[in-house]
Amino acid sequence: MTSPASVDGLPDYAPIPASARGVTPNEQGYYVGRVERNLYWVTDGVYQAAFLATPDGVVLFDTPPSIGHNLRRAIDEITAAEGVTNRVTHMVYSHHHDDHTGASSIFGSDVVRIGHEETRRLLLRDNNPARPVPDVTFADSYTLEVGGERVELSWRGPNHSPDNIYIHFPDHDTLMFIDVVNAGWVPIYNVNLSEDVPGYMAAPDIVLSFPWTHFICGHLGRLATRDDVLVHQQYIADIEASAREALASVNPVPYYVAGGENFWAGVKGHLDAVTERTAAPVIAKYTGVLAAADIAEFTYSTAFQIMQSLRLDRGPSGPVHP
Ligand SMILES: [Zn+2]
């Protein structure tokens, strides 16, 4: 691992908007707060997890390794204050990615792990003892009932990952859905490192179709609101509209002529020009609105992925030769 000798060379980015700021972790490095009744969320400022503290046991939702053993501390702190057991009896995986599940094994083997059937398949593939495979799986939906509380899990198609599920707490007015919307912030590289771009773009409408007031989105230091989802949707819709305009207006011919017999040089010149034209107005519009919109690589790489999805998933990818 290398680190810069100094950070003086970092670009001078726009200040983080007030709307992007979150809670301040304690000196142990975590914050735990009540979402509603006995549902709590935990963050280290960048990653989020949640738990239900019921009289029959704790149900844990995701185990990001960056929070790690602080999950135990947060659970102990709350259950002691509430006078309920601190024993984690159930654990739900939002999706298989290690950055949200990599601390699973620290809760031992005497825990019922629940996840989508594709999560089980992918965890068997990845074969990482830090992430035991779920014992209970489902295809479309599953109702988890523990200690008088109810959680509705559902899978509505691939998006960020093939197995990413919606975790609805109907009696806590809350939805948990990870790695699509970053409250107050732009998605990071490549549509937030997503595998299915049309699925990613469609997911916020599904998010809004559930009744909820509190949204646990998996990242950064605060809970999300319905307005956060709308701003995210507008950012993505603006990229899509801008990509359509750029694809229609950038003439590829000069780039292929310039590339000569190096066809891929022509492809690069053309697609870089389309990406630049797509992203530039979006960066200008959202700088100061969504944090890190001015980190050009994020909006560029997301614009590139959406532009390619417009061509390859929806088509047309180009004119049909006469
Ligand atoms: Zn993920």
Side-chain angles (χ1 to χ4, degrees), residues 95 97 99-100 160 179:
H95 66 306
H97 283 166
D99 62 330
H100 292 271
H160 162 71
D179 279 349

Side-chain angles (χ1 to χ4, degrees), residues 18-36:
S19 56
R21 294 190 190 284
V23 297
T24 303
N26 61 20
E27 58 191 21
Q28 291 272 13
Y30 72 90
Y31 168 92
V32 59
R34 190 193 303 270
V35 182
E36 199 163 299

Side-chain angles (χ1 to χ4, degrees), residues 59-111:
V59 186
L60 183 53
F61 301 86
D62 278 356
T63 51
S66 67
I67 307 178
H69 290 274
N70 275 339
L71 288 167
R72 180 78 268 168
R73 295 185 185 97
I75 291 167
D76 289 349
E77 175 187 332
I78 294 297
T79 54
E82 297 296 320
V84 291
T85 175
N86 69 349
R87 195 164 77 85
V88 175
T89 56
H90 296 76
M91 186 184 290
V92 173
Y93 289 142
S94 65
H95 66 306
H96 72 289
H97 283 166
D98 187 88
D99 62 330
H100 292 271
T101 59
S104 175
S105 66
I106 70 178
F107 293 91
S109 55
D110 192 20
V111 174

Side-chain angles (χ1 to χ4, degrees), residues 34-297:
R34 190 193 303 270
V35 182
E36 199 163 299
R37 291 200 301 113
N38 59 348
L39 176 65
Y40 296 85
W41 70 296
V42 187
T43 184
D44 57 8
V46 179
Y47 277 86
Q48 300 176 352
F51 64 91
L52 270 172
T54 85
D56 295 351
V58 172
V59 186
L60 183 53
F61 301 86
D62 278 356
T63 51
S66 67
I67 307 178
H69 290 274
N70 275 339
L71 288 167
R72 180 78 268 168
R73 295 185 185 97
I75 291 167
D76 289 349
E77 175 187 332
I78 294 297
T79 54
E82 297 296 320
V84 291
T85 175
N86 69 349
R87 195 164 77 85
V88 175
T89 56
H90 296 76
M91 186 184 290
V92 173
Y93 289 142
S94 65
H95 66 306
H96 72 289
H97 283 166
D98 187 88
D99 62 330
H100 292 271
T101 59
S104 175
S105 66
I106 70 178
F107 293 91
S109 55
D110 192 20
V111 174
V112 178
R113 290 177 169 83
I114 303 149
H116 190 258
E117 60 187 20
E118 187 71 359
T119 301
R120 179 180 167 88
R121 188 187 74 77
L122 290 164
L123 288 176
L124 284 168
R125 177 198 69 179
D126 297 337
N127 190 30
N128 178 347
R131 294 179 287 162
V133 302
D135 320 287
V136 176
T137 61
F138 65 95
D140 296 323
S141 62
Y142 182 84
T143 301
L144 174 64
E145 294 186 85
V146 179
E149 302 297 349
R150 181 168 56 118
V151 187
E152 302 284 357
L153 313 179
S154 57
W155 180 82
R156 303 284 293 272
N159 45 70
H160 162 71
S161 66
D163 59 330
N164 203 23
I165 60 167
Y166 299 81
I167 303 168
H168 189 222
F169 303 85
D171 304 318
H172 298 82
D173 203 10
T174 298
L175 184 75
M176 180 170 180
F177 178 62
I178 305 301
D179 279 349
V180 171
V181 177
N182 295 331
W185 295 68
V186 294
I188 65 162
Y189 297 99
N190 299 314
V191 202
N192 227 31
L193 308 177
S194 291
E195 295 185 45
D196 188 304
V197 175
Y200 177 94
M201 294 170 75
D205 268 341
I206 301 173
V207 166
L208 292 171
S209 74
F210 288 90
W212 54 265
T213 301
H214 319 289
F215 182 38
I216 301 165
C217 69
H219 281 287
L220 289 317
R222 67 170 173 83
L223 298 174
T225 64
R226 298 185 83 89
D227 274 348
D228 287 319
V229 179
L230 294 173
V231 173
H232 166 90
Q233 269 188 312
Q234 191 60 53
Y235 171 80
I236 296 294
D238 286 348
I239 290 176
E240 178 180 353
S242 188
R244 286 186 192 284
E245 189 280 330
L247 280 167
S249 60
V250 175
N251 178 8
V253 173
Y255 299 99
Y256 289 103
V257 171
E261 66 179 8
N262 188 341
F263 303 126
W264 280 183
V267 168
K268 174 175 166 37
H270 173 224
L271 294 183
D272 283 358
V274 175
T275 304
E276 159 73 26
R277 187 174 173 120
T278 300
V282 178
I283 291 171
K285 177 175 173 181
Y286 286 91
T287 297
V289 176
L290 286 173
D294 62 323
I295 300 183
E297 292 82 355

